Amino acid sequence: MKSKYLFPFLTLLLTIGFLSCDFDEKNINPNNSTTIEPGPLLSYSQLYTSNQGISKRVQVGYCMMMVQQTASLEREEMAGDKYLETEMLGVFFIESYNSYIKNVQELINRTQDNKDFVNTYAVALIWKSFLFHRITDLYGDIPYSEAGNGYRTQIYYPKYDRQSEIYSGMIRDIETGLSLLNPSAPGIAGDIIYKGDIEKWRKFGNSLLLRLGMRMEHADPSFAKATVQKAIKGGVMNDPSDICMIQHVAGKGGTENPLSAVFKGHGLVGSGTVKISKTFMERLKTTTDPRIYVYAALPDGTTDFDKQKGLPNGYDFLTIYEAEPDYKSLAEYSTFNPTTILQMDAPMVHLTHAEVELLQAEAILKDWIDGDAKEHYENAVRSSMKQMAIYGENGIISDERIENYLAQNLYEKAKTLEAKLNLIGTEFWVATFLNGYESYANWRRTGYPYLFPTLFDGSPNKGRIPRRFTYPTEEYSINREHVEEANQHQGADALSTRIWWDKL
Amino acid sequence: MARIINLCVLLAISFSMLRAQTNQITVLGTVTDEKGFPMSGVTVQVEGSTIGTVTDANGNFSLKAPRESTILFSFVGFVPVKRQATDSPLQIVMKEDMIMMSEVVVTALGMGREKKALAYAVTELKEDAFLVKESNLAAELAGKVSGVNVVRPTTGVMGSTRITIRGNGSFGNNQPLYVVDGVPIDNSNYGQPGVWGGVDGGDGISSFNSDDIESMTVLKGGTAAALYGSRAANGAIIITTKRGVKGGVNVELKSSYTFDRPVVKTSDFQYEYGQGLSGTAPATLEMTMLSGPASWGGKLDGSDVIQFDGVFRPYVAVGKKNFSNFYKNAWRLNNNLSISGGDENVLYRVSVGDQRYNDLYPNSKMGRNNASLNLTAKLSHGITFQTNVIYMRERVKNRQNVNDYASNGNVLLWTLPPNIDIRSLAPAVDASGNELLLSDAYVYFANPYFIAYKRHQEDAKDRIFSSVQLQYDINKNWYLRGRIGGDIINRRSENILPKGTGYYRPGSISEGSSYSGEVNAEALLGFNKSLNEAWSFTSFVGWNSMMAWSESIGAYGDRFIQPGFNVIGNTETTSGGKSKWENYINSLFGQIELSYNNLLFLTFSGRNDWFSALSMKGKTTPNHIFYPSAGVSYLISEAFNLPSWLSFLKVRGSWAQSGGSVSPYNLTLTYGYGETIHGYPTGSISNSTIPNPNLKPLTSTSYEAGTDVRFFNNRLGIDFTYYVRNTRDDIVTAQISSASGYSHALVNAGKIDNRGVELLLSATPLETKKIKWNAAVNFSYNKSKIVRITDRVNSFIMANSRTGAAGDEGTPAYIYQEVGEPYGIIKGSSYVRDENGNIVYGKNGLPVKGEIKKLGVGVHPYTIGFGNTFTFSRFSLYLLVDSKFGGSIFSGTNDMAYFLGTHVNTLQGRENGVIGKGVKMDGTPNEVAVPAMDYYMYIANNIAEEFVYDASFIKLREMALSYDLPKRFIAKMGLSQISLSLVGRNLHTFYSKIPMVDPESGYTIGNEQGLEQWGLPAGRNWGFNLYIHF
């Protein structure tokens, strides 16, 4: 009687017991993929090169303010023209590594050994250098060789590499990428910028080499010269359509131009937080630069040349009267033109043909390469003004206006070498308006245009335009030994410390 | 089956009848308890034979027994009585077995064990502990068990509860395992408020009805809960529901109706200056709007001043009644009907409950229903079948937001200037249908009536909990037991921000639906044997298979199109998503208990858990962990002859290793997709925390030693325990360098130590025929210490206050985990002081802002509960005082009251400026007068130290005055018992040091205790209970 029940009982127990002992598939995430194709990773690394917070508070709020393209009466945020120190200085570092650096590195991880993706790998190497150069140009020594790969390498506290080594590494990567580009291999996956056009990537890669080469002119002249020559030989941009930019799309939050979106969302036109700087406005006005109609407008939309007015840099609401005794309200000062550069589908520009022409003009004046500097200068002006068409109908500058501008013969009028370099540098500054990172880097390298530092009383850096950004404070508690090592080598972690290439 | 047994009994009786025909008499009588109430289900047996019966519903019995034989009366928990069989009716009075030598307690895995054999401290609560009800079952433990810390946030009757036993042992989960009838429940929490506000979505334990509980055993930590292995580190609460009782049908009705009133210390508010800025009443509507909630206006002089709605009203103090005028009509109604009964073979209990709550916040309600069936049946061949099925249904409307401003309707109650009557905001909307704001410049200060009647939150939970058990007693040594049970929950929720909401005009709606639960299947084989006269052992081995899952879908609609029609279809943009997870643990366990002469007991147990969350193809580290335990219990009073006043002495000690939980899908990277642009989808790594392929759960090593000693025949008892609980390899989401690409990594690095003492003093100071006084004091002290976080991280911020967050008004305060400090300390900016403790002031007359330093601990180290029951004739008075000491709280409510000028402390200096008491930097007394508004706003924005208060308290937690109607009176109505009670909860606070708010005003049940801001006010609850036994 008892065994009759015992046996089925035990069998029941044992069978249930041996169920589900294999747990391997039970721990696979059903919500998110554990693998991904390279294409979307490249698209991500391109699209998210800018975001709202950074474009407002770093691109415009610091970089453009420091080189006096924009100005404000703010005293805390958006006060780069007073050289104040805020958390945003470190945020660019943190967000860069957590977003595009991590994903472009993952893209490289997934394509480097895959023959089918050799072109994507090549582009990833070039783009990675583009993304890194912006970071190192702002901070100097930064984590590079050990960075962005935390899961695969299990390196949680990357060391800081010397900027000289970072530049070598970036240039090496670009050259490798250029050599790997192969028109007969499968195309580039997920390329938002050039839609898979290998020739354009070749020109971009070489143009980036040109930019990096010129940057090193004071720190390592021979390496700089060799790089520039290689770049020209390899073939740089020669047409405005070679422009490297992200063409944004209006309508959806994630694809709109982040700068335009944040201007609209925070009402920055009406609030007067961002104004065209008096320094910049003077340049546009004294040269009757037709780009004034594209860049500037009064808050009420007026684009009349005579009405445009720039705000002096370095003042707040109380002290503005020292510079402008008749100051009445911010509404009288020009800001960004909402019908052009603040459109939701305005592109975000990273490297242009105009810049490339100007850098070549400089290189010619240095006797590094052959050519006609004046021709390159004029090509640059034409290219930049024609490029304004990317901002829509209101951005189109007629050929007539362009020729009228060139008829001023500014190049001829610059007699000395120094005057010519000044003209080229100043033109660079006007042409890279909105790409604050590049305007700031180029100003530090060349010293052009001449800028009078602001003398704001509340600033710890009164009278000295910053030469770099400071590291995020959290690095001191989390990655202390490495960041202090960097300080030992580079100098104090201060806004005034000069990074490796900044030897002017 | 029942018939076969009955037949056997009948045969046996006939046999004995044959043998002793002439000597048989009929023995009859009644069995009652000490109060005179009839006891049903008492076993009445002829000693040494199988002749027996049970008493019926009226306590009567009748059986045939040999003359002069001994009749034995026995019932669990009562001292057995022996009487000789006589012709005359027997009147038996059974006394409760105070020494409880053979008391059986339900322990881990639902095993009943004799309390004397247990090597660890255990507390058992019976039905009478749940007399004064709360809306959350877990909250009814407050003040009753040493070592158990109960925290109830100010989120209303539908809120969750946090229970920690013997301190906090982990950076992750610190709540114990809840088991009902041997089956673990799903105690998932559906969201908690954080620094940016939010609602408390409720937890799992709150759906269970305490009216259905027969006993609750608190297993205080790894040593007691060791058999639960990886789920044992924080202890376990074992709940056994009521079974039927032998003998007739019992119908019982329990009803209670209570009211709630808000309790606010109005003496901490100022009622002398009204709305305005810089010392003057607003002269124009524009000035009124600019002032908003600021009470820095002029002295209340009765003149007519314009208010937010354009109406001129006298500038007088009307605000004192704002709290009582708004938080009103709160009540609770609870009804529970049960029918139970049974015989020797079948016991059953059916119960149906209905609970309705009208919370303090207007238009916030909750309704709960539960229906349960509990069945025990003795089948043939030694098989016992037991099942319990409970259906729970919960409907909640308008859970309240606390902390932060947005959608928090409590904010204006705490901050309204004293000249404004809250009821002037009652229209809720303006002429265009938008939220009627106090000021358009302060859109985040919500209109409380708008929140009550226009903003809408709703959720519905339907839940089935069931446990089915089959036990087969193979012979007198072997038994087999199988059990399967589960907790399955379906919850739907909806949250609507209507069009016209002040801070977000377009409005939005979100919908959610989740299906989750846990199922456990368990089987074990047990073997008990007496080896010889002295030694015997009980043992078992078994396995358990656990599956837990959750599947949830959410839909979100933004920007309503047509006003007044709040559905997702009526929105401009919609989005949604789905997520799910599954988690499995398979376990093998065993235990052996050796006993020597019934006075020395050795227990050894082990459990091995295999985790799905640690499994991955190609992983080299193991996915299973072993958890052993060992313990000893020695009854000295049995082993030696002790003086008679020492009635019981036991010493015990145990050691165990237990584990923690680990979530699935944490071992690998995952990817997600973002926007698609020009036809290209963007994709990226979704993790910002580096997964750890070698992740494992924490290990907790605990040991305890204690003694249970009783004097004077149990009139006085002392139960003392010293415990140590050390956690190693706790999973830390450690901050790493962002240059790695990630902000955090999961590492097994944390070490947290806890040690403490628990003391339970129980006494019966007075016991006469008419009066009895029982008292019990439970005391516990816990000392926690963070030993290590990771090798690089010495501290991290667990949470920060809303004040000062993102640069907003108020001063920030933080809850830190810091090496060398107790768990969860409060840190914030401080005053700078000289060697004599005087505050140092700057040249501007304002205190110098000092560094951020430790200002208190968020968790109280001391908890003391004092319970008394006085019984006099048919009356009884029960009082429970609950207290906690040593913890602190940062009060955002007080901080903002300084900032806005509503605090009574901001009165000083309004006319002539404030001269801060302290010294200047050079040591001379400070003499600079600062305008009051500037002074107090500065303090509010800069000195967190001013707002960290001692959160110790002593409260009258529960009170019940009961009366049992006389038996002769109710017998006429055909009833067995009627009891009426006057009950109260949180009736009075004897001691508290925080202005304005109650010391128990935290807003979350998370690990970050010690922050408070703008929650619901505390409430006093009192009313009536009625119990009828038909």
Side-chain angles (χ1 to χ4, degrees), chain A residues 390-498:
Chain A
I390 61 175
Y391 298 115
E393 255 179 21
N394 296 326
I396 297 177
I397 297 179
S398 66
D399 287 342
E400 191 193 332
R401 279 198 158 144
I402 297 177
E403 297 312 315
N404 279 346
Y405 179 85
L406 286 171
Q408 291 173 96
N409 273 330
L410 296 172
Y411 193 83
E412 296 292 313
K413 296 199 178 121
K415 298 292 180 208
T416 61
L417 175 64
E418 205 262 320
K420 289 180 169 39
L421 289 173
N422 189 347
L423 174 64
I424 292 171
T426 307
E427 176 58 32
F428 194 101
W429 179 69
V430 175
T432 53
F433 184 79
L434 282 187
N435 189 352
Y437 309 108
E438 193 51 30
S439 310
Y440 178 52
N442 204 60
W443 172 81
R444 282 179 286 161
R445 171 180 74 86
T446 62
Y448 300 118
Y450 292 127
L451 296 175
F452 288 108
T454 63
L455 301 162
F456 183 69
D457 262 318
S459 172
N461 300 293
K462 172 174 165 180
R464 293 172 310 190
I465 303 182
R467 307 305 296 195
R468 67 180 280 273
F469 279 19
T470 45
Y471 297 124
T473 39
E474 66 176 46
E475 280 289 289
Y476 285 93
S477 39
I478 298 164
N479 198 7
R480 170 162 287 228
E481 49 178 283
H482 287 140
V483 68
E484 294 198 336
E485 210 171 64
N487 292 338
Q488 288 288 356
H489 166 252
Q490 180 167 265
D493 181 15
L495 294 187
S496 52
T497 302
R498 294 210 171 214

Side-chain angles (χ1 to χ4, degrees), chain B residues 202-217:
Chain B
D203 58 15
I205 186 65
S206 56
S207 307
F208 288 84
N209 192 339
S210 64
D211 287 334
D212 291 329
I213 295 187
E214 177 171 303
S215 74
M216 182 191 272
T217 311

Side-chain angles (χ1 to χ4, degrees), chain A residues 23 26-27, chain B residues 517-519 546-550 581-585 610-614 661-665:
Chain A
F23 278 153
K26 297 285 188 210
N27 200 25
Chain B
E518 182 179 315
V519 173
M546 178 213 89
M547 172 173 98
W549 77 94
S550 171
W581 59 259
E582 285 178 349
N583 204 2
Y584 299 81
I585 301 180
W610 283 265
F611 303 84
S612 72
L614 299 186
S661 58
V662 64
S663 311
Y665 320 137

Side-chain angles (χ1 to χ4, degrees), chain A residues 83-300:
Chain A
Y83 323 137
L84 297 176
E85 302 186 19
T86 70
E87 284 299 302
M88 283 319 285
L89 292 170
V91 171
F92 183 85
F93 182 105
I94 297 170
E95 286 194 21
S96 298
Y97 285 105
N98 281 345
S99 60
Y100 44 79
I101 296 295
K102 162 172 142 190
N103 286 291
V104 79
Q105 184 58 56
E106 182 68 4
L107 173 62
I108 289 173
N109 292 341
R110 286 182 168 267
T111 52
Q112 60 191 4
D113 295 316
N114 193 334
K115 277 199 301 271
D116 289 333
F117 286 99
V118 66
N119 281 318
T120 310
Y121 174 52
V123 165
L125 286 173
I126 297 172
W127 194 245
K128 173 182 167 186
S129 296
F130 172 81
L131 294 172
F132 260 110
H133 97 280
R134 295 193 319 170
I135 311 175
T136 181
D137 284 348
L138 282 178
Y139 295 93
D141 292 358
I142 54 167
Y144 174 72
S145 57
E146 288 185 352
N149 211 357
Y151 178 68
R152 300 205 188 276
T153 60
Q154 291 290 306
I155 295 180
Y156 296 173
Y157 313 99
K159 67 171 193 223
Y160 283 57
D161 292 291
R162 312 238 155 138
Q163 189 175 53
S164 53
E165 279 158 23
I166 297 173
Y167 262 73
S168 302
M170 293 191 293
I171 289 170
R172 198 168 40 239
D173 273 351
I174 297 171
E175 288 174 353
T176 310
L178 286 170
S179 70
L180 286 174
L181 283 172
N182 184 354
S184 35
I188 307 165
D191 179 16
I192 298 175
I193 297 176
Y194 291 128
K195 312 279 194 296
D197 186 334
I198 294 203
E199 185 52 29
K200 288 224 164 26
W201 276 104
R202 194 178 54 77
K203 288 198 244 180
F204 171 75
N206 284 304
S207 304
L208 185 56
L209 279 179
L210 175 60
R211 178 191 271 184
L212 295 179
M214 292 301 287
R215 203 89 94 208
M216 295 188 290
E217 69 160 324
H218 306 300
D220 192 347
S222 55
F223 185 35
K225 178 173 174 182
T227 307
V228 168
Q229 287 173 338
K230 230 191 226 172
I232 301 299
K233 192 139 164 254
V236 295
M237 293 182 181
N238 49 21
D239 186 86
S241 65
D242 293 335
I243 186 174
C244 174
M245 67 182 192
I246 307 279
Q247 177 61 63
H248 284 280
V249 174
K252 268 204 296 180
T255 56
E256 294 168 334
N257 181 312
L259 190 62
S260 311
V262 75
F263 257 74
K264 178 172 172 199
H266 294 196
L268 296 181
V269 167
S271 67
T273 316
V274 176
K275 292 291 174 190
I276 308 283
S277 158
K278 183 170 176 188
T279 318
F280 193 76
M281 186 59 76
E282 256 165 26
R283 173 67 187 176
L284 294 177
K285 283 202 155 178
T286 52
T287 58
T288 346
D289 192 325
R291 285 171 291 196
I292 196 177
Y293 299 105
V294 182
Y295 291 157
L298 291 183
D300 63 9

